[in-house]
Structure formats: C-alpha cells, structure tokens
Amino acid sequence: WVMIDTIAGAKSSAIIYSIAETAKANNLKPYDYFEYLLTEIPKHLDDTDRSFLDDLLPWSPSLPENCRKPDKNEVK
C-alpha cells in the first residue's frame, strides 16, 4: 500500500479496482480474469491492430469459462 501515497500509485490503484469491480459486475472471477489478461496481453505487444482488446473486455462472450462464476441457476 506504500505506492498509494503517490498520485501515480493512487491512479493505478483506481484503475485496478475499476477493472476488478467491472469483472465482478459481469459475473467473472476477478483473480482468474486478471490472470487471463496478464497472460494474453503480452502476446499482442507487437500488434498494431488493437482489435484483440474487444475479446478481453469483461462482457466479451469469448472469455474462457474458467474466468466466469458458475451460474447459480444452472442445474447440475
């Protein structure tokens, strides 16, 4: 939490919290979602076309199932 004492640290924390809360609002598991983002984004660092980002958004239907919370209404 030492980093939050700076303006840049506070801004970074706000971004991370926003991503985590948006993931929760879209029925994702935040840890798994962050893990997925941190493995997928580096694969595209040399891309000039940023359209791959659409598939990484929390509401994207193409996210892997392990990022999603189980549906409570689903019958097992």
Side-chain angles (χ1 to χ4, degrees):
W1 296 110
V2 174
M3 302 290 194
I4 295 177
D5 287 342
T6 67
I7 292 172
K11 184 177 180 180
S12 297
S13 292
I15 291 168
I16 290 170
Y17 287 133
S18 293
I19 294 170
E21 291 302 316
T22 304
K24 287 186 215 176
N26 284 277
N27 207 33
L28 299 179
K29 297 182 277 184
Y31 181 87
D32 294 328
Y33 180 58
F34 275 113
E35 185 176 46
Y36 179 68
L37 292 179
L38 293 172
T39 56
E40 287 301 310
I41 291 172
K43 296 176 184 177
H44 300 278
L45 290 179
D46 295 330
D47 292 359
T48 55
D49 178 16
R50 301 287 184 212
S51 63
F52 75 93
L53 292 171
D54 292 338
D55 292 333
L56 300 179
L57 294 172
W59 48 85
S60 173
S62 63
L63 290 175
E65 284 302 312
N66 72 304
C67 291
R68 300 183 192 288
K69 291 180 183 176
D71 186 3
K72 292 179 183 177
N73 298 324
E74 188 176 301
V75 178
K76 292 183 180 183

